[in-house]
Amino acid sequence: MKITNPATGAVIANVAADNAAAVRRKYEAARAGQSAWAKVPIRKRLDAIAKFRQRIVDKRETLARTLTQEVGKPIRQSRNELNGLLGRIDFFLAESLRALREEKVYADPKQQLDERITHEPLGVIANVSAWNYPYFVGSNVFVPALVAGNAVLYKPSEFATLTGLHIAEMLHEAGVPRDAFVPVVGDGAAGAALTRQPVDGVFFTGSYATGAKIAAAAGRRMIKVQLELGGKDPVYVCEDVDIKATAAGIADGAFYNAGQSCCSVERIYVHESVHDAFVAAFVAEVKGYKMGDPMDEATYIGAIARRPQLDVLKRQVADAKKKGATLLTGGSVVRGKGNWFEPTVFTDVDHSMALMKDESFGPIIGIEAVADDEAAVDLMNDTEYGLTAGVYTHDAKRARKILAQVRAGSVYWNCCDRVSPRLPWSGVGHSGIGLTLSTYGIQTFTRPKAWHLRNV
Ligand code: NAD
């Protein structure tokens, strides 16, 4: 399999992909290794994760450069991802013992009855992952899954393979056995071969289209399936905000990582009384972004990781223009080597346009004026997705009222495009099922076992 730098189109590595027979052998190795790993005391499993964390600290710059070269992410944003990863690992190191300890939920001395819950590992799990934040979306799964005593078959995205192999190497160096964490290399075919194995759970991060296929294939097997899928995340700007600061914050939420975040802001609704001022401030901010060599420290907009996404963006631009939207900046593929798309802002948009309904996953955004909060809520909820949604206002009561009506896994007041390890990360509708992060996101890699104990 060729690994290409999306910023230049140059082939940077060749790796051997796993065919179906190799995937089967890897599954068998993980199945054989799981019970030994589950018997390792949890504190020792946590020690291995702490050593993995140290390996990341030691190799941070090399890892950041590899990530930038294979996904086109600006180098500063690659470093941010690695720094953020350390905080997530710290959360798992601090919380896992508590989340996974045996719970005594009831005691009746008269009947000499005890009721307890233990958290048993699921067994062997498949972790099929996305490329856009490979360290984040991968570690949300494999770190707590390993801590809980599962063996993990980890398939990084074919667009983040080198990063996936770095992760495997560091985990093995840290003491996680090779048959407890097993990388599977390849594209969708390897992913499909992996999810066909008799695993005990499938944990997927990626698009709705792929997630739906995985859920259908797993449905008859009665195994745990968790899907972290896409979004079409809205924000609503009320008339009482500081326009310039709000525009800058939301532009960052829309264009960071060139808009290739599951929780990127993908739609903006603005109270009509401040619409024009907001649009002017927003466009000024976006025009200030430096697009270019992702290795350059000053670059803010990097390359588009997957070439086919350029066609999605072109189609959304053409559709919006045809239906009467006003293009304020950008709108085109940048000619030359690599995959580049100009940061693009539209207004005069509506929900007949793909730009406002379908996930864009690129540096492109529509801004729509709304008359009041009720109209904003209706439009925010007019989507199959439900990952995140935000509101900007000085009025706390108004924010709570709006956010309570919005159908989304995470809601934001005066912030956006944010993930916290302490809070569950989940989606509604086409944004997926299940969750990662928080203590629930540790327990999700276990099966609660109910103990009814009578000491007679
Ligand atoms: P994708 O669906 O194209 O690929 C995801 C993974 O699935 C890859 O590893 C791929 O090789 C594999 N795959 C493809 N076909 C398969 C099949 N038939 N069976 C099994 N595996 C298969 O998604 P992507 O382009 O890697 O990621 C972008 C998408 O991920 C966006 O929609 C984004 O919103 C979403 N995402 C969601 C979250 C979240 O937390 N909710 C986080 C990051 C990305």
Side-chain angles (χ1 to χ4, degrees), residues 129 131-132 155 158 191 204 206-207 210 228-230 262 359 425:
S129 209
W131 51 266
N132 60 333
K155 197 199 83 62
E158 59 273 39
F204 172 76
S207 61
T210 311
E228 303 214 338
L229 310 177
C262 52
E359 190 177 45
W425 186 247

Side-chain angles (χ1 to χ4, degrees), residues 148-219:
N150 298 281
V152 178
L153 288 151
Y154 167 65
K155 197 199 83 62
S157 163
E158 59 273 39
F159 299 100
T161 304
L162 301 179
T163 292
L165 293 174
H166 274 313
I167 287 171
E169 189 184 27
M170 290 187 293
L171 281 167
H172 296 152
E173 287 168 354
V176 176
R178 287 177 184 277
D179 54 7
F181 185 84
V182 187
V184 171
V185 174
D187 57 12
L194 174 56
T195 53
R196 274 198 302 272
Q197 304 306 316
V199 290
D200 302 301
V202 177
F203 294 79
F204 172 76
T205 310
S207 61
Y208 165 73
T210 311
K213 282 188 212 159
I214 287 180

